[in-house]
Amino acid sequence: MRRGWLGEAGRDARRLLRAYPSLLRVGMADMLAYRAEFLVWILSMNLPLVMMALWTAVAADGPVGRFGQRDFVAYYLGMLIVRILSGSWLVWELTMEIRRGILATRLLRPIHPLWAFSATQLAAVPMRVVVLSPLVVVLYWVAGARLPVHDPARLAILAASLVGAWLLLFLVMALIGMLAAYVESALSVFDLWLAAQSILSGFLVPLELMPAWVARLARVLPFRYILGFPVETLIGLESNATALRDLGVQWLFIAGALLATIVLWRRALRRFAAFGG
Amino acid sequence: MRRILRRYARLLAVQIRTSFTLAVQYRFDFFVEGMLAVIWLAITLVPLAVVFARRPSVAGWSYPEALVVVGLFSMLKAVLDGGVMPSLNHVVDGVRKGTLDFILLKPADAQFLVSTARFEPWRILDFLGSVGIVLFAFHRLHRWPGALGVCLGLFLFAVALMLLYSLWILVVSLSFRVVKVDNLSYLFVSIFDAGRWPIHVFKGALRVVFTVVFPLALMTTYPAQALLGTLTLAHALYAGAGGLLFTALARLVWQQSLRSYSSASS
């Protein structure tokens, strides 16, 4: 009995491994087809640059806390890079597919829709890396000494934190997107999430410049682990020991979100069947 | 001429009535969106509060003075969200689906019809709240603008509205050429967002871009300076002339684009 279940899981995994590269290729072709839209999306990520301008003007007459002008430039460049790398649009796609019932066709396929969605979202990453490479050069030029180029341990933590940031945001979007099976205003819920995130993730203002209680609160909420934590690791605001501990917290959040996603997916699907007829 | 004006006034009334009926239908949605607008406004005040907790002034602006700019910005934002964005989304949608043809076929000016297609009446509340911010800022300053300041401020705010509208017409024209541009309105708002800061915060290329190309300085900083009494009359007149020029240019681009528009449905 137990072996049968394992065998089935193994067959599923093999099927997924075979299909995933094609799914990625389809996603890449999609990205190329909508390259104008991609460019517009990149251009609309200009808020970190505006905040950079603001804070460098503030730091013109002396550093703010630990931050001098160069630190602000490095921080917001890092923020821009992490924001673009970890971004997904799953929540919009999922809510739209649930509302219009398109999700039904995905359910017919022999691959779990969340795997298929993850392929579409991941396929967008290589093009982003290409677009971001000049920014990385600028960042190296501004703050080369801070980057973990000669510190393999921190480089490894950074890589894991970036993967984690992408995964955490993906799962949160899946969770909120599935609310669309229950309420109409799932996107408004996500808007609320974004509002909280812009403050509590360090997106607008570095967390260590916020009042102490906000910074403490941010450490126990998931928002910081999507943006602020990878950026702080990237430009070396944290010691390796602290970064490693934070990485553990990040992956705990991921595990929790994954569990919640699996549970909610089953329940929402039952509800969706009633919804789409 | 009078006849034409009367006809367009009647058309406008019809368009507004349609939007109002729609708005009343989706009361709950608009309530939620109104709440979200308030939350976003509060959140965007956070960087301002953090910055001015550290420094008494930034780029020559004190906290209440910068608050005047924020207030003017969110007044404009309310107009954008209530009177401009809904129509923008409507047209971009129309270009993609080909339903814009129905509008172009109607015996009235297309730009007028397109610009008045949708309104969100509840945004008036946002607008009033923003006026409250400006009043609060002057209360904190302990000095009120004189008659000239108010006149100049109102004049420049009118110019700002015109600029906002022209920029929007330019974006719509762009959507004719690059059809699959859902994110266009998102981009527009994201750039517009920089207008909440006094222009003097920006240096070099950004300042030039925000003064000439995407004239945010003319839209928020200049009216604020007029109210604060730190803008010379000559500057105000230059700003007004620049605004008019921009508007004329936008109309020209719109007509050019319309000529090259080929329907998506045919």
Side-chain angles (χ1 to χ4, degrees), chain B residues 61-73:
Chain B
W61 289 76
S62 71
Y63 177 60
E65 285 169 348
L67 210 54
V68 175
V69 178
V70 171
L72 281 169
F73 168 79

Side-chain angles (χ1 to χ4, degrees), chain B residues 153-228:
Chain B
L154 283 178
F155 166 68
L156 285 177
F157 190 72
V159 172
L161 288 178
M162 237 158 56
L163 279 172
L164 190 66
Y165 173 73
S166 313
L167 279 170
W168 167 70
I169 280 294
L170 286 177
V171 170
V172 174
S173 307
L174 193 66
S175 82
F176 284 4
R177 288 171 197 280
V178 207
V179 179
K180 176 72 188 167
V181 197
D182 274 346
N183 293 346
L184 214 54
S185 63
Y186 191 59
L187 175 65
F188 183 84
V189 172
S190 79
I191 298 176
F192 180 66
D193 237 36
R196 76 177 74 247
W197 303 103
I199 188 69
H200 307 100
V201 161
F202 302 106
K203 301 257 167 337
L206 267 184
R207 185 183 289 191
V208 175
V209 168
F210 289 154
T211 309
V212 186
V213 185
F214 199 105
L216 286 173
L218 270 65
M219 289 156 79
T220 57
T221 308
Y222 279 37
Q225 280 185 319
L227 286 178
L228 290 166

Side-chain angles (χ1 to χ4, degrees), chain A residues 34 36-37 40-41 43-44 46 50-51 53-55 57-58 61-64 188 191-192 195 198-199 209-210, chain B residues 32 36 39-40 43 46-47 50-51 54-55 58 178 180-184 186-187 190-191 194 197 201-203 206:
Chain A
Y34 295 127
E37 217 180 24
V40 169
W41 180 74
L43 286 177
S44 67
N46 51 36
V50 170
M51 294 311 292
L54 172 73
W55 279 106
V58 174
D61 46 341
V64 184
S188 298
D191 224 24
L192 267 182
S198 62
I199 291 296
L209 297 183
M210 297 286 262
Chain B
V32 170
L36 277 171
I39 292 174
W40 273 115
I43 278 180
V46 169
V50 175
V51 165
R54 305 245 169 198
R55 294 277 195 276
V58 174
V178 207
K180 176 72 188 167
V181 197
D182 274 346
N183 293 346
L184 214 54
Y186 191 59
L187 175 65
S190 79
I191 298 176
W197 303 103
V201 161
F202 302 106
K203 301 257 167 337
L206 267 184

